[in-house]
């Protein structure tokens, strides 16, 4: 699931005359079929028997959806984001003050064995390294006109190629065992470099916007991570199904932005779902992935073997996969990148409106 979460909000702008011609053609055809056209048989029949045809008093549903947007979808998205922010701060205060009854990861940290602490330390160290490699690769790719033109070309084919690179490199990283240090770290570096190249076109939005988005992202990630650590250990692990459905909604909305004009009411609604809905969704994913990481660090056997008992009560040792800190941080890494991308979109959109 985590490998398909990065969906840049690019879109194709279709020409307005084509859409208006389609609307005029469909409207005129429907009217001719229903009333026989002006002066036709349908009109004479209505005049003879004193019937009045139904006249259209307003725009059709199609015209409203494809007509120019009033900006309300983005206003509603701002309201939803504000509500989610207030709810998140409330959760942080509630769990941080110890009002919940369940035992949190912060409470259990006092009795953790040393290997659990070491696993979490290495995982977040690799997470910091992933973000640093991505930032460095993005700055290097921004200086290459070839990479910039390739990444900022837009279109459905560019999106498919981007997803293929992201998912392919991520699958390679996950498939290599952690014991193969050279191959594992090489694949990890390639994956981070590919992500940096994908984010390179954001450099056009300017350094101040990027810095503000980075600081806001750091604040969001810090607050959500603290909430996940202070909440009961499995509180957010129950959200896997709803989060998967929400990811499907954001994915379909992102696909729709390629085929609908961004200035239309429907296109603006889909863009609002991708940006504001995506920000809320990946913030919830961060809560889920943080608790899943802690649970995995606690439950994975340290010896590489897990003991089971057969039907005769005899113990049997079965080899189990070792804890892999690089694989463990990939989901949180993708969540952070998605939050950062949407913060950049929101801040750059606000700057353009002020201009």
């Amino acid at each position: 699931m985590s490998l398909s979460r990065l969906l840049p909000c690019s879109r194709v702008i279709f020409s307005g005359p084509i859409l208006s011609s389609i609307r005029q053609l469909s409207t005129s055809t429907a009217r001719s079929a229903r009333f026989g056209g002006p002066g036709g048989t349908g009109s004479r029949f209505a005049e003879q028997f004193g019937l009045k045809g139904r006249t259209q008093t307003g725009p059709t549903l199609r015209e409203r959806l494809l007509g120019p947007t009033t900006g309300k979808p983005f206003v509603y998205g701002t309201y939803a984001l504000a509500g989610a922010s207030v709810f998140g701060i409330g959760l942080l205060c509630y769990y941080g003050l110890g009002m919940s009854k369940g035992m949190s990861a912060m409470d259990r940290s006092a009795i953790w064995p040393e290997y659990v602490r070491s696993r979490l330390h290495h995982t977040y160290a690799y997470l910091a390294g992933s973000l640093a490699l991505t930032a460095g690769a993005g700055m290097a790719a921004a200086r290459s006109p070839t990479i910039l033109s390739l990444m900022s070309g837009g279109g459905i084919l560019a999106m498919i190629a981007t997803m293929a690179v992201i998912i392919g490199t991520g699958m390679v990283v996950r498939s290599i065992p952690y014991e193969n240090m050279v191959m594992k770290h090489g694949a990890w570096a390639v994956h981070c470099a590919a992500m940096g190249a994908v984010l390179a076109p954001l450099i056009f939005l300017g350094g101040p916007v990027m810095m503000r988005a980075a600081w806001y992202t750091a604040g969001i990630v810090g607050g959500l991570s603290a909430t996940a650590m202070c909440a009961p250990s499995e509180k957010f692990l129950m959200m896997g199904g709803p989060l998967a459905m929400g990811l499907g909604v954001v994915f379909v909305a992102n696909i729709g932005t390629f085929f609908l004009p961004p200035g239309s009411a429907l296109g603006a609604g889909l863009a609002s779902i991708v940006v504001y809905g995506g920000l809320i969704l990946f913030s919830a994913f961060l809560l889920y992935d943080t608790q899943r990481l802690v649970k995995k660090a606690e439950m994975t056997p340290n010896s590489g073997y897990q003991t089971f008992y057969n039907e005769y009560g005899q113990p049997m040792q079965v080899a189990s996969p070792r804890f892999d800190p690089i694989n463990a941080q990939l989901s949180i890494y993708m969540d952070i990148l998605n939050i950062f991308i949407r913060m950049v979109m929101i801040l750059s959109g606000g700057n353009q409106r002020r201009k």
Side-chain angles (χ1 to χ4, degrees):
M1 184 190 301
S2 62
L3 297 179
S4 60
R5 293 182 191 174
L6 186 67
L7 299 174
C9 184
S10 56
R11 55 180 70 95
V12 179
I13 302 177
F14 292 98
S15 58
I18 296 178
L19 292 174
S20 60
S21 301
I22 294 174
R23 285 200 298 268
Q24 293 173 1
L25 177 62
S26 61
T27 304
S28 61
T29 303
R31 289 177 178 174
S32 299
R34 178 175 292 182
F35 303 111
T41 56
S43 301
R44 289 194 296 269
F45 180 83
E47 292 175 359
Q48 180 179 358
F49 291 94
L51 300 177
K52 293 183 178 180
R54 289 180 296 176
T55 59
Q56 184 178 348
T57 59
T60 63
L61 178 61
R62 179 186 177 87
E63 290 173 339
R64 286 197 297 267
L65 293 178
L66 297 181
T69 180
T70 59
K72 289 184 178 180
F74 298 103
V75 176
Y76 297 151
T78 304
Y79 291 160
L81 183 59
S85 301
V86 172
F87 182 71
I89 294 174
L91 286 181
L92 178 59
C93 296
Y94 178 78
Y95 293 127
L97 295 175
M99 297 181 182
S100 61
K101 298 180 180 179
M103 180 175 288
S104 66
M106 193 67 66
D107 298 329
R108 296 196 313 275
S109 62
I111 58 174
W112 276 345
E114 185 59 32
Y115 69 86
V116 176
R117 302 174 186 272
S118 177
R119 287 172 176 177
L120 294 177
H121 174 76
H122 284 88
T123 300
Y124 278 96
Y126 276 114
L127 176 61
S130 297
L131 297 175
L133 285 173
T134 302
M139 294 178 63
R143 299 178 181 178
S144 173
T146 304
I147 296 179
L148 279 180
S149 61
L150 182 63
M151 291 294 108
S152 59
I156 190 70
L157 294 180
M159 189 199 73
I160 294 175
T162 300
M163 288 186 60
V165 172
I166 294 172
I167 296 176
T169 55
M171 290 178 63
V172 172
V173 174
R174 291 180 179 274
S175 64
I176 300 176
Y178 186 69
E179 289 74 19
N180 191 348
M181 299 293 288
V182 177
M183 293 293 294
K184 184 73 173 183
H185 285 76
W188 168 59
V190 171
H191 179 63
C192 295
M195 299 300 302
V198 171
L199 301 181
L202 296 179
I203 199 70
F204 290 123
L205 300 176
V209 173
M210 300 280 286
M211 288 302 299
R212 288 179 60 194
W215 281 111
Y216 289 162
T217 302
I220 293 172
V221 172
L224 293 174
S225 299
T227 303
M229 294 295 292
C230 294
S233 58
E234 297 184 1
K235 184 68 175 181
F236 301 116
L237 292 180
M238 307 298 180
M239 302 191 307
L243 289 177
M245 292 186 290
L247 182 62
V249 172
V250 173
F251 179 79
V252 172
N254 189 83
I255 296 295
T257 58
F258 284 89
F259 302 99
L260 291 169
S264 64
L266 184 56
L270 294 178
S272 179
I273 292 174
V274 172
V275 178
Y276 294 97
L279 180 56
I280 298 173
L281 174 69
F282 290 110
S283 297
F285 260 119
L286 185 59
L287 294 172
Y288 171 81
D289 289 328
T290 301
Q291 287 201 337
R292 189 179 65 168
L293 166 63
V294 175
K295 195 74 173 179
K296 188 173 184 179
E298 292 176 337
M299 300 302 295
T300 303
N302 189 35
S303 61
Y305 293 92
Q306 196 165 4
T307 303
F308 294 94
Y309 293 89
N310 58 17
E311 62 271 19
Y312 303 105
Q314 298 173 342
M316 299 179 61
Q317 285 190 338
V318 180
S320 63
R322 293 182 177 273
F323 183 82
D324 190 336
I326 294 181
N327 288 355
Q329 57 88 34
L330 284 179
S331 297
I332 300 178
Y333 166 67
M334 299 298 291
D335 297 335
I336 295 174
L337 289 186
N338 275 282
I339 292 173
F340 173 72
I341 290 173
R342 282 153 179 83
M343 288 304 306
V344 171
M345 292 177 180
I346 293 173
L347 294 176
S348 61
N351 290 342
Q352 292 177 359
R353 285 193 293 270
R354 283 192 295 268
K355 293 178 181 179

